[in-house]
Amino acid sequence: MRVGSFSPPWIQFADQKQEFNKRPTKIGRRSLSRSISQSSTDSYSSAASYTDSSDDETSPRDKQQKNSKGSSDFCVKNIKQAEFGRREIEIAEQEMPALMALRKRAQGEKPLAGAKIVGCTHITAQTAVLMETLGALGAQCRWAACNIYSTLNEVAAALAESGFPVFAWKGESEDDFWWCIDRCVNVEGWQPNMILDDGGDLTHWIYKKYPNMFKKIKGIVEESVTGVHRLYQLSKAGKLCVPAMNVNDSVTKQKFDNLYCCRESILDGLKRTTDMMFGGKQVVVCGYGEVGKGCCAALKAMGSIVYVTEIDPICALQACMDGFRLVKLNEVIRQVDIVITCTGNKNVVTREHQFLFWPFRAGCIASLRTPELTWERVRSQVDHVIWPDGKRIVLLAELNGLSG
Amino acid sequence: MRVGSFSPPWIQFADQKQEFNKRPTKIGRRSLSRSISQSSTDSYSSAASYTDSSDDETSPRDKQQKNSKGSSDFCVKNIKQAEFGRREIEIAEQEMPALMALRKRAQGEKPLAGAKIVGCTHITAQTAVLMETLGALGAQCRWAACNIYSTLNEVAAALAESGFPVFAWKGESEDDFWWCIDRCVNVEGWQPNMILDDGGDLTHWIYKKYPNMFKKIKGIVEESVTGVHRLYQLSKAGKLCVPAMNVNDSVTKQKFDNLYCCRESILDGLKRTTDMMFGGKQVVVCGYGEVGKGCCAALKAMGSIVYVTEIDPICALQACMDGFRLVKLNEVIRQVDIVITCTGNKNVVTREHQFLFWPFRAGCIASLRTPELTWERVRSQVDHVIWPDGKRIVLLAELNGLSG
Amino acid sequence: MRVGSFSPPWIQFADQKQEFNKRPTKIGRRSLSRSISQSSTDSYSSAASYTDSSDDETSPRDKQQKNSKGSSDFCVKNIKQAEFGRREIEIAEQEMPALMALRKRAQGEKPLAGAKIVGCTHITAQTAVLMETLGALGAQCRWAACNIYSTLNEVAAALAESGFPVFAWKGESEDDFWWCIDRCVNVEGWQPNMILDDGGDLTHWIYKKYPNMFKKIKGIVEESVTGVHRLYQLSKAGKLCVPAMNVNDSVTKQKFDNLYCCRESILDGLKRTTDMMFGGKQVVVCGYGEVGKGCCAALKAMGSIVYVTEIDPICALQACMDGFRLVKLNEVIRQVDIVITCTGNKNVVTREHQFLFWPFRAGCIASLRTPELTWERVRSQVDHVIWPDGKRIVLLAELNGLSG
Amino acid sequence: MRVGSFSPPWIQFADQKQEFNKRPTKIGRRSLSRSISQSSTDSYSSAASYTDSSDDETSPRDKQQKNSKGSSDFCVKNIKQAEFGRREIEIAEQEMPALMALRKRAQGEKPLAGAKIVGCTHITAQTAVLMETLGALGAQCRWAACNIYSTLNEVAAALAESGFPVFAWKGESEDDFWWCIDRCVNVEGWQPNMILDDGGDLTHWIYKKYPNMFKKIKGIVEESVTGVHRLYQLSKAGKLCVPAMNVNDSVTKQKFDNLYCCRESILDGLKRTTDMMFGGKQVVVCGYGEVGKGCCAALKAMGSIVYVTEIDPICALQACMDGFRLVKLNEVIRQVDIVITCTGNKNVVTREHQFLFWPFRAGCIASLRTPELTWERVRSQVDHVIWPDGKRIVLLAELNGLSG
């Protein structure tokens, strides 16, 4: 899909600077809140301990680090973790045969020679395999993280060690976040001609700070629904001056990532954060799109008793024919152990639903941020919300931005 | 398992004749009601039409029939149907590789030479494969039906044609039923030395009418729970004078017949009698033993929403861990589409459960035989029970004697 | 979907008569072969015995029958079977809540008043519910069968008894087939203004014999892929003069009929014709579209080991992610017990695949019609094909026209 | 089950000291190797980071720690982690309703008053809930770890903080292991009267070092197959002088822990260590007992193509009826992605099986410890074994001691 066209770009662009002058706070804040609440990594790393065990509290921005070839064009937590990260990448390579085959097939040809790609995504082992494939095909890349929490430090270190200018670490501040993005694009003697973005923050930063840079941009690939939404708004306003691709439009994203990856990751994510068993648990899944279908399939297979809420009649009928009882949330909320929201809609789960639940997305939990409820952070991204009477729910508010 | 021992047999036997003199009416009636309500075939034949299409209303007992070799030592509906029955048997042979392998292996050896087996089971293509295997191994067999409805006439004809003394047809009267059994045992110059029984009627007939015949009996194989129960009673009373094997004690019966065969046959049986779809239907299964497990697995896979009632704590926990919501019948009876009883217990489903249901066994439906309810026979073994207000339930009272 | 438009119709129409003069043989033959080989009923009736048991060999065309209101504007096997058929219809009504709700909602309004619908479909209890709903909404209907085998005689009788002009019986000859269709449209003082067709035979008959009748036709609903294909050809040639709807374009057909109905009916159909168990059987399913997905889901749930052949890469990847091993037919043909073709493509299963298989559609079995192979009809629509060496396969060539 | 009896105890006991004098090396070594290779935790903690992040390399044995009540009768990694551990325990409490109900029910009654229990198990949040329940019921407990790796340090800290004498930390040396056990039993003024053991090391330590202590022991509960095996050997030799219970004899262990817990934990464990997706992966599971059944169910549900090897005919037939293709390992080893051994038998997977595999138990991988193969530790309990030609397999040798 192309969400934009090449003209008329620059006039609107000028007008628009105005608007973007207001953004550093507003949009930046929104972007960041998105970074926190909606996005996260698809791949939990068991290597987290390497990252966490750092006793070094110095900000990476204040460190002087060089890789073994003497380059210091990167900013990561600890370049010494590169070897651990390399092993993570090697494991990921075994699971990504298509990209590995592509490397082999394009060997020596450098079909991407001349491509200068600036990227802003989660920095995981899988991203590393992508970046190194782009590099193997001849592209030059500079990369930042699209999320202040999701970077695997040792993977970032491995990328830096092998010569990629990577600017990302786990636990960036908001200022760090934008500083890293800026370090990717604001480089003496290098201008990107392609953007790979997840969430739209990189695109907006360039748009606002370096509008002229767009003249050289051949295209944008946007991975997230949020980012695409922002691009559509630009396009409608006649201000999108480069072609853009929506990754979600590909059938493999809709029918595979959303369905099968959720089927694989829902229990993994919940188990890692809660250590629960799912056999015999009563679960209500809100929404029976591809994400909901994947979650329901996994839960049913694990012996959970699954209820579904759904307003779309076709999806509702599918849920029914797949053996899930269709309910309204109110009917079951007092008897279920777990609530999973597989919809981006707001207000799906509200204050009246007072029991244990695990929303997937942030929008639906606003009503829980009230003075009489106590929030207690148990682990990263796991909160207990405690009612005045002592009842507590476990909230995985930011568990997973599965469908981007 | 041996439910009896060889001694002390004959004295009690004499005493006991007394008791059996009362049986022709009482026990006979009970046996027959069992035949009607509890037993039926495991294998529905699509060849039923051959059987049903007979325009011949003459009782087989009044017919003069000979097979192609001139023998008339049999009594079946119509010997001319033998060819159709032979094809049914050939199909069944392909699905019974163990018996077919046994025939091949024992070829020429006749390990069962001298065995004189009298049998009383459902007369189906599968039984025919068993009988012809017994014959191939050297045994002599005479056979009657254990159920007045379940005989496949064309299979009986095929057996008669190939020389087996078979006395059975679909739609026997009670008198026919005992007459057929008697024709198997009351033969000039032939005495059985083994009994293969399903339900205990044959055993009891011999016990009562021909007590001396037991002196030559080497053993009894009993296929049904009911029949075994009767044997245990005899054994406790010290009156069982021959060893008996309970087929249900074999692991293959418990873990395969009950589980996997029910999984295969539950939907088949319900669909043939009702033409229903099961996706999205709400079903409550009473009992989560092996039979219930098989039914639940099939229904869940077909997209039904399945509830389970169970009083045994281990089985109840298994149902729970397998993803079935445990309920009391009263909680769900008004919302479910189908009730399946996988327990032999009485009074599981009572009058208060007024909606659509399909009990598996007969015991639970006594309360529906009341004057204000109208019973209407829709098809063989399918009844509509109509309430004064017009509401109707569909009753498959005698669907299947799955676990014997 | 509209596969045609209202103009330019009539000129081509005149030209076209020419072409249709050649059709009585050619198209008629093809239509009929389709009727035999590709279509059949979606709903097997357990009431078949009522139908089959008729001892009356007189052709319905030669009978004088009247319903209880004195009408003789119908032609069915035996009007006396109406009561049995009525019970079948009543059972079907319980499974078709949407149509029943429609009857209730439109009560008294007669929104279809003025509609004169001529139909040509399988005559089953479900069709009867549809027809009686159309009648309840005010439409006038006349109906023939689209298949010479699939009519349920007692249902046809019930429809005739309640006043519907139905012309259909099980076991029509080719001449009967066209005679019945003609009786629906060639009526003094009645002209249809809507066509409901399954296979296109009715449409073509009108097109050829009564071209002027199209002037009053408001639209065609076509249920089958074959019929739609014929309409598209007409449309491309500029000769389709009425709007037509392709039922297959509706999401409920693609995503429900094909997927869930096949899931429900595949085992039912195979079991009724073969009495096989499916646990542990190795099965290869050719094609992983919606039909294949439904079949695979049912077989997997029943404990079969399922292989899939598929050439479409997305469907192939789905099969893989759903846990089915992707194979070429040749790799597994010698080890599998069952072959199911869920594709209309020809030559999927060829002569080299010599073992047991059960093709779904007719196209793929041409190579088995050779002199050295013996065909033996076992039951209706079940053939044994016997090789010179005695090996036999069971062929369900015409089992089911599931996706129409 | 009672694997022993109360007599004749003491005489043999004296004789037996002799034998145990040889044990410090031999048996100790064996015990420890068991600790490393066969046992591990059932519950992976996502709290691992708290534990790992310790920058403190001092041995706990050399530290002076006190809990907030001033007690120093414990030895854990870092008492300051108690609060984190308390939250882990609180989460676990929500998943252990039976024990929590027991606490409530026995409240105030102290039915275990007088019980002095010494335990040696994995120290996890679940164990903590058990210990605190024992405490709430009136028992006194002292506890050590049965495995040098599996202790969750923060949970141990929480137990120590709330007053339990716990002697355990992650990463004990062999000497530490026995020191901790000794600290549990060798206490001034306190003698245990019950043993709860997992693996038999505690029992043997007491047996060898403090034989007189057995005079006060009322019974042993042994959780592991290995430990029970050792008890049976003692019993056969007439040397077991206290009654012992085999946890594995309980139906809930066999039918729930083994089946359902493996179903829940197999993918969890594999995903945490490998980040693999399982959809479409080919997996061979060696053994179809309860553990194998659980693994196969989980893998099948996740879209894996699962093969089974099994020598027991009943289990093999079950695998077949459940839809798993029975194979010999050699037939599929070159095509599968993953090998899972669900059997304790040795030599199931041998050197000839050179590809990617993940044995569950240690016995089967001996042939990989050869000079020409390079072992590289990737993460805790994850090794790469690299062939001379560069091919590598990923080995999860010590993943899980699921069935004890």
Side-chain angles (χ1 to χ4, degrees), chain A residues 354-399:
Chain A
Q354 296 187 357
F355 301 87
L356 181 68
F357 58 86
W358 323 83
F360 236 39
R361 303 273 185 87
C364 50
I365 59 163
S367 65
L368 297 174
R369 290 280 184 197
T370 59
E372 79 272 29
L373 303 185
T374 308
W375 284 58
E376 188 179 89
R377 171 126 304 195
V378 184
R379 299 172 187 165
S380 171
Q381 301 191 319
V382 181
D383 292 284
H384 281 192
V385 183
I386 307 168
W387 262 252
D389 64 356
K391 183 162 304 277
R392 63 175 64 203
I393 66 171
V394 183
L395 188 63
L396 307 184
E398 303 120 14
L399 176 63

Side-chain angles (χ1 to χ4, degrees), chain B residues 44 46 50 52 87-88 95 263-264 271-272 275 277-279 281 301-302 376-379, chain C residues 44 46 49-50 52 87-88 95 263-264 271-272 275 277-279 281 301-302 377-379:
Chain B
Y44 290 81
S46 23
Y50 305 134
D52 294 342
R87 287 195 184 147
E88 296 293 327
E95 293 297 298
R263 188 184 65 181
E264 297 255 350
K271 278 183 180 292
R272 290 196 201 201
D275 289 329
M277 281 187 75
F278 287 85
K281 287 285 190 306
M302 202 50 84
E376 188 179 88
R377 173 126 304 195
V378 183
R379 300 172 185 165
Chain C
Y44 290 81
S46 24
S49 51
Y50 306 133
D52 293 342
R87 287 194 184 148
E88 297 293 327
E95 293 297 297
R263 187 184 67 182
E264 297 255 351
K271 278 183 178 293
R272 291 197 199 199
D275 288 330
M277 282 186 74
F278 287 85
K281 287 285 190 307
M302 202 48 85
R377 172 128 303 197
V378 184
R379 299 171 186 166

Side-chain angles (χ1 to χ4, degrees), chain C residues 89-381:
Chain C
I89 295 170
E90 284 166 1
I91 292 177
E93 286 172 351
Q94 301 200 18
E95 293 297 297
M96 300 173 83
L99 287 188
M100 298 310 283
L102 193 58
R103 286 189 200 180
K104 201 170 239 172
R105 190 166 149 193
Q107 223 171 12
E109 293 186 30
K110 305 292 175 197
L112 292 183
K116 295 178 181 174
I117 305 173
V118 62
C120 180
T121 66
H122 301 292
I123 307 288
T124 64
Q126 289 74 30
T127 302
V129 177
L130 170 62
M131 286 171 65
E132 299 194 337
T133 303
L134 295 175
L137 300 189
Q140 295 172 25
C141 298
R142 298 181 74 83
W143 228 265
C146 70
N147 182 291
I148 61 177
Y149 292 132
S150 68
T151 298
L152 296 185
N153 283 340
E154 68 280 14
V155 167
L159 286 167
E161 170 59 30
S162 61
F164 285 89
V166 170
F167 302 86
W169 57 92
K170 183 170 183 167
E172 299 169 1
S173 69
E174 179 172 349
D175 187 61
D176 292 339
F177 179 77
W178 297 111
W179 179 87
C180 286
I181 286 178
D182 198 65
R183 286 292 307 272
C184 289
V185 291
N186 183 12
V187 197
E188 190 70 26
W190 193 86
Q191 278 213 5
N193 52 24
M194 289 193 213
I195 294 172
L196 199 168
D197 207 356
D198 183 344
D201 291 329
L202 169 62
T203 303
H204 273 283
W205 186 260
I206 297 175
Y207 195 44
K208 173 190 140 213
K209 293 283 190 182
Y210 311 100
N212 286 327
M213 203 173 274
F214 269 98
K215 290 177 187 162
K216 296 241 170 105
I217 298 293
K218 302 228 161 119
I220 299 167
V221 171
E222 172 56 52
E223 293 193 351
S224 79
V225 171
T226 304
V228 166
H229 184 65
R230 292 161 84 176
L231 289 170
Y232 268 115
Q233 289 182 315
L234 277 188
S235 178
K236 276 184 193 157
K239 295 174 185 169
L240 184 65
C241 50
V242 293
M245 286 177 60
N246 177 0
V247 168
N248 288 286
D249 284 339
S250 73
V251 66
T252 49
K253 177 66 166 62
Q254 288 290 333
K255 292 292 180 187
F256 292 86
D257 269 36
N258 290 359
L259 177 61
Y260 296 113
C261 292
C262 288
R263 187 184 67 182
E264 297 255 351
S265 62
I266 175 70
L267 295 176
D268 190 33
L270 290 172
K271 278 183 178 293
R272 291 197 199 199
T273 45
T274 69
D275 288 330
M276 281 176 81
M277 282 186 74
F278 287 85
K281 287 285 190 307
Q282 297 202 52
V283 186
V284 60
V285 174
C286 304
Y288 201 68
E290 298 298 331
V291 170
K293 284 179 176 73
C295 290
C296 287
L299 289 159
K300 184 182 189 180
M302 202 48 85
S304 298
I305 298 158
V306 183
Y307 304 92
V308 168
T309 71
E310 176 58 76
I311 53 167
D312 175 84
I314 293 296
C315 292
L317 197 48
Q318 287 176 322
C320 184
M321 295 303 283
D322 290 343
F324 301 109
R325 207 177 124 206
L326 276 166
V327 295
K328 291 185 180 167
L329 195 50
N330 278 329
E331 294 172 46
V332 295
I333 194 70
R334 281 166 193 283
Q335 86 190 51
V336 297
D337 300 298
I338 303 165
V339 176
I340 297 173
T341 68
C342 297
T343 164
N345 293 334
K346 293 199 175 191
N347 298 320
V348 170
V349 180
T350 68
R351 178 60 198 288
E352 292 148 42
H353 307 135
Q354 297 188 355
F355 301 88
L356 183 67
F357 60 85
W358 322 82
F360 237 39
R361 303 274 184 86
C364 51
I365 60 163
S367 65
L368 295 175
R369 289 282 184 194
T370 58
E372 79 274 27
L373 303 186
T374 307
W375 285 58
E376 189 178 88
R377 172 128 303 197
V378 184
R379 299 171 186 166
S380 172
Q381 302 191 318

Side-chain angles (χ1 to χ4, degrees), chain D residues 58-364:
Chain D
T58 316
S59 166
R61 289 166 68 174
D62 299 334
K63 288 187 189 174
Q64 298 282 346
Q65 297 186 87
K66 284 200 169 146
N67 69 14
S68 61
K69 288 154 210 153
S71 165
S72 60
D73 185 13
F74 62 86
C75 189
V76 302
K77 184 70 171 180
N78 186 354
I79 188 69
K80 292 177 189 158
Q81 295 175 327
E83 198 185 342
F84 288 123
R86 178 53 49 196
R87 288 197 182 146
E88 297 292 328
I89 295 170
E90 284 166 2
I91 292 178
E93 286 172 351
Q94 301 200 17
E95 293 297 298
M96 301 175 81
L99 287 187
M100 298 309 284
L102 193 58
R103 287 190 199 178
K104 200 168 240 174
R105 190 166 148 194
Q107 223 171 12
E109 295 185 30
K110 306 289 175 198
L112 292 183
K116 295 178 181 174
I117 305 172
V118 62
C120 179
T121 66
H122 301 291
I123 307 287
T124 64
Q126 289 74 28
T127 302
V129 177
L130 170 63
M131 286 171 65
E132 299 195 334
T133 303
L134 295 173
L137 300 189
Q140 295 173 26
C141 299
R142 298 182 71 84
W143 228 264
C146 70
N147 182 293
I148 60 177
Y149 292 132
S150 68
T151 299
L152 296 186
N153 284 341
E154 68 280 13
V155 168
L159 286 166
E161 170 58 30
S162 60
F164 286 89
V166 171
F167 303 85
W169 56 92
K170 182 169 184 166
E172 297 169 359
S173 70
E174 179 171 350
D175 188 62
D176 292 339
F177 179 78
W178 298 109
W179 179 88
C180 286
I181 286 177
D182 198 66
R183 287 291 309 272
C184 289
V185 290
N186 183 13
V187 197
E188 188 73 25
W190 192 87
Q191 277 214 7
N193 52 24
M194 290 194 214
I195 295 173
L196 198 167
D197 206 356
D198 183 345
D201 290 330
L202 169 62
T203 303
H204 274 283
W205 187 259
I206 296 174
Y207 196 44
K208 172 189 141 215
K209 293 283 191 182
Y210 310 101
N212 286 329
M213 204 174 272
F214 269 98
K215 291 177 186 163
K216 297 242 171 104
I217 298 292
K218 303 230 161 118
I220 299 167
V221 172
E222 172 57 51
E223 294 193 350
S224 80
V225 171
T226 304
V228 167
H229 184 67
R230 292 161 84 175
L231 288 170
Y232 268 114
Q233 289 183 317
L234 276 187
S235 178
K236 276 184 194 157
K239 296 173 184 171
L240 183 64
C241 51
V242 293
M245 286 177 59
N246 177 0
V247 169
N248 289 287
D249 284 339
S250 73
V251 66
T252 50
K253 176 68 167 59
Q254 288 289 334
K255 293 291 179 186
F256 292 88
D257 269 36
N258 289 359
L259 178 61
Y260 297 113
C261 292
C262 287
R263 187 184 66 180
E264 298 255 351
S265 62
I266 175 69
L267 295 177
D268 190 32
L270 290 173
K271 278 183 179 293
R272 291 198 200 200
T273 45
T274 69
D275 287 330
M276 280 176 82
M277 282 186 74
F278 287 86
K281 287 287 190 306
Q282 296 201 54
V283 186
V284 59
V285 173
C286 304
Y288 200 70
E290 298 299 331
V291 170
K293 285 178 176 74
C295 290
C296 286
L299 288 160
K300 183 183 189 179
M302 202 48 84
S304 297
I305 298 158
V306 183
Y307 304 92
V308 167
T309 72
E310 176 57 77
I311 55 167
D312 175 84
I314 293 295
C315 292
L317 197 47
Q318 287 176 322
C320 184
M321 295 303 284
D322 291 343
F324 301 109
R325 207 176 124 206
L326 277 166
V327 295
K328 292 185 179 166
L329 195 51
N330 278 329
E331 294 172 48
V332 295
I333 194 69
R334 283 167 192 280
Q335 85 190 53
V336 297
D337 301 299
I338 303 164
V339 176
I340 297 173
T341 70
C342 296
T343 164
N345 294 333
K346 292 199 177 192
N347 298 320
V348 170
V349 180
T350 67
R351 178 61 197 289
E352 291 147 43
H353 307 137
Q354 296 187 355
F355 300 88
L356 182 67
F357 61 85
W358 323 82
F360 236 38
R361 303 275 186 86
C364 50

